[in-house]
Amino acid sequence: MDDKNLIAKRVARELSDGMLVNLGIGLPTLVARHVPADIRVHFQSENGIVGMDSLNEHGLAEDDLSDAGGNPISAVPGAAAFDSAFSFGLIRGGHLDVTVLGGLEVDEAGLLANWMVPGKMVPGMGGAMDLVTGAKKVIVAMMHTAKGAAKIVPVCTLPLTSARRVDLIVTELAVIEPTDAGLVLREVAPGVTPADVVAATTARLIVPDNIATMAV
C-alpha cells in the first residue's frame, strides 16, 4: 500500500455509521475508498452534493458531477445536489460531523495552514476556512514532510486557515493529536519508531511511554 492510501485508510477508521463527512481536495478524497463495507457514510462536497461516491470502477464518472476540485465523481442512490449557498449553510451551521483536509503546515498549537501554496497562484482558500471553523471534527491528512522539510512545525509560516485547533493529524508516519498540552504522538505506522517521527518533525512532540501501532 502506498503512503497516501495508508493515510486514507487510517483516516477512514475515524468515521462511523451515519456521519456527514466532507473530503477536501487531493489526498482526502481517497478516504471514500477505504470506508468499511458495514458502515454508511454520507460524503458532502462544498460545491453542492451530499451522497458523493468514489470512483472505484473505471467508467462510472458522470460528466455533470465533480467534487470541489473539479475532479469527476459518481453519486450513490438518493444523493442530493444543491447550490453553494445551501452547501455552505450545512458547513457554517455546524452540521458536518467530520471534515478531512490536506495540510501544508500544522504547528504546535494545532493550527492549520493549507490554502496558500508558496510560488503558485491560487484563486482563494475555497471552503477551507469555513470547514475548519464549522465542522465538529477536523482531521488533517497529509504527508509528514515535503521535499525533506518538516510540515509539522513550531509555528506556521504560511497564512493560517483558521484560529481553531484541529482534532487529529494523520501522516504516513504517525497519528498525532493536538491537545491543550501540545502535540501528542498517539500512533506510529508499521515499521516506524517514535524516534523516526521525532526526527521528521520540527515541532515539539509529547511522546507517551506506550504508543500504539497504526491499524491499517
Side-chain angles (χ1 to χ4, degrees):
M1 183 183 301
D2 63 66
D3 289 342
K4 290 184 177 181
N5 277 287
L6 182 147
I7 294 168
K9 189 171 183 179
R10 175 59 186 83
V11 171
R13 293 177 59 85
E14 296 294 313
L15 309 182
S16 57
D17 198 56
M19 279 185 167
L20 181 61
V21 179
N22 174 280
L23 299 179
I25 297 169
L27 192 160
T29 62
L30 298 175
V31 172
R33 301 180 182 179
H34 297 284
V35 176
D38 59 342
I39 71 170
R40 185 179 182 186
V41 175
H42 307 284
F43 288 111
Q44 184 259 8
S45 181
E46 62 262 35
N47 58 322
I49 185 172
V50 168
M52 181 174 64
D53 198 12
S54 63
L55 295 175
N56 286 322
E57 298 179 39
H58 180 71
L60 292 182
E62 292 286 346
D63 292 339
D64 296 328
L65 292 179
S66 70
D67 62 20
N71 301 304
I73 58 171
S74 60
V76 300
F82 34 77
D83 62 20
S84 291
F86 185 88
S87 186
F88 276 86
L90 290 175
I91 296 167
R92 294 170 180 170
H95 302 291
L96 283 178
D97 294 298
V98 178
T99 184
V100 184
L101 298 172
L104 298 173
E105 294 176 331
V106 181
D107 67 17
E108 288 181 5
L111 300 180
L112 169 67
N114 82 331
W115 67 272
M116 182 177 285
V117 182
K120 293 186 178 181
M121 293 293 293
V122 291
M125 72 292 297
M129 292 182 176
D130 301 273
L131 289 162
V132 175
T133 303
K136 295 172 185 174
K137 183 173 183 177
V138 180
I139 300 174
V140 178
M142 67 180 189
M143 301 297 289
H144 206 95
T145 61
K147 298 180 180 178
K151 296 175 66 173
I152 303 175
V153 296
V155 178
C156 288
T157 61
L158 298 171
L160 295 179
T161 304
S162 173
R164 179 231 177 127
R165 183 173 74 199
V166 304
D167 297 286
L168 203 65
I169 307 162
V170 181
T171 77
E172 79 281 15
L173 299 183
V175 176
I176 297 169
E177 180 186 8
T179 69
D180 290 340
L183 301 178
V184 181
L185 179 58
R186 296 297 188 194
E187 301 174 18
V188 293
V192 174
T193 68
D196 294 331
V197 180
V198 171
T201 308
T202 55
R204 182 180 67 90
L205 291 179
I206 299 170
V207 182
D209 292 333
N210 296 310
I211 300 173
T213 298
M214 192 187 300
V216 290

